[in-house]
Structures are given as C-alpha cells and as structure tokens.
Amino acid sequence: MSTTDNCIFCKIVAGEIPSKKVYEDDDFLAFHDIAPKADTHLLVIPKRHIVNLNDLNEDDAELMGKMMLVIPKIAEQEGLVGYRTITNTGKEGGQEVFHMHFHILAGSRLPGF
Ligand code: AMP
C-alpha cells in the first residue's frame, strides 16, 4: 500500500508529476484519467493522503461531505448532464492507486452496470 512518499497522486498534488487539471481548491484536485475508460473520465482526489474509504474516521466527515458537493460542481463545470461515480476500495475492490479517488465517467460508452 502506498505511503505519502511514493504516492503518485500525492506527487500530482505537489506538481511533481504533470496532470490535465480541471479543478482545484484548498482540499481537492480533479484531473483527467491518464487511461480514460469513457468519453470523459475524471478523477477527483482529496489533496490529503487518504488511502480509501476504509481509511476514514469521524474526523473526516466534513471533508467527505465537501467531496460529495465538489463532484457535481466539477460535473457541471465540465458540462456533464449525467455521469457515473465510482470509488474502488482495496485491491480486491479493483483499487490500483492507493490514494482515495472518485472516478467521474460520462459519455456514450458507459457499459451497463
Ligand atoms: P483505481 O483502479 O480505482 O485505483 O484507479 C486508478 C486510476 O488512476 C486508473 O484509472 C488509472 O488510469 C489512473 N491513473 C494512474 N496514474 C495516473 C496518472 N499519472 N494520471 C492520471 N491518472 C492516472
């Protein structure tokens, strides 16, 4: 499991790895997924290194509430009428990057679910 030191998304937050940024505020960053699985494929991350949902505690409730509000804001900014959000938790849940992120997927190629 990644730590802050070798975390690719922490490096994106720090500007050490480039990203196609679409949104940034004090707490969150959103950028295009490097290997898009849909016409639009964005990732929304907290700037703070949180591994995944299992890493949360009561103190994170406000931050996570803000994250739920920032996602539709980004979707509106990007002109997305409808979209799918996914967060994978743990290797067995399909998580490959161990810094929490919500995928925003939209467009004509969304498979049935
Ligand atoms: P997950 O499987 O939920 O952990 O998703 C990780 C996502 O991060 C995948 O969709 C990758 O394509 C994406 N990804 C990995 N490295 C980068 C990067 N440097 N910039 C943007 N997206 C990335």
Side-chain angles (χ1 to χ4, degrees), residues 8-9 12 31-35 37 41 43 88 94-97 101 103:
I8 194 164
F9 287 176
I12 286 177
F31 50 91
H32 285 272
D33 194 291
I34 205 165
K37 280 100 185 158
H41 187 172
L43 300 173
N88 294 323
Q95 186 174 11
E96 292 176 355
V97 176
H101 50 280
H103 299 258

Side-chain angles (χ1 to χ4, degrees), residues 3 19 21 23 39 44 52 60 67 69 72 78 89-90 102 112:
T3 64
S19 68
K21 216 180 277 183
Y23 178 87
D39 295 337
V44 186
N52 57 34
D60 299 314
M67 195 163 187
L69 295 173
E78 296 302 303
T89 301
F102 277 75

Side-chain angles (χ1 to χ4, degrees), residues 52-85:
N52 57 34
L53 293 179
N54 288 345
D55 193 29
L56 295 171
N57 61 55
E58 292 296 325
D59 294 340
D60 299 314
E62 188 180 347
L63 185 71
M64 289 300 100
K66 283 185 185 172
M67 195 163 187
M68 292 303 100
L69 295 173
V70 95
I71 288 171
K73 193 169 157 180
I74 293 165
E76 186 182 14
Q77 174 197 292
E78 296 302 303
L80 307 178
V81 180
Y83 53 92
R84 177 177 296 164
T85 48

Side-chain angles (χ1 to χ4, degrees), residues 20-38:
K20 281 174 65 184
K21 216 180 277 183
V22 297
Y23 178 87
E24 180 168 17
D25 65 23
D26 288 346
D27 296 315
F28 305 103
L29 187 66
F31 50 91
H32 285 272
D33 194 291
I34 205 165
K37 280 100 185 158

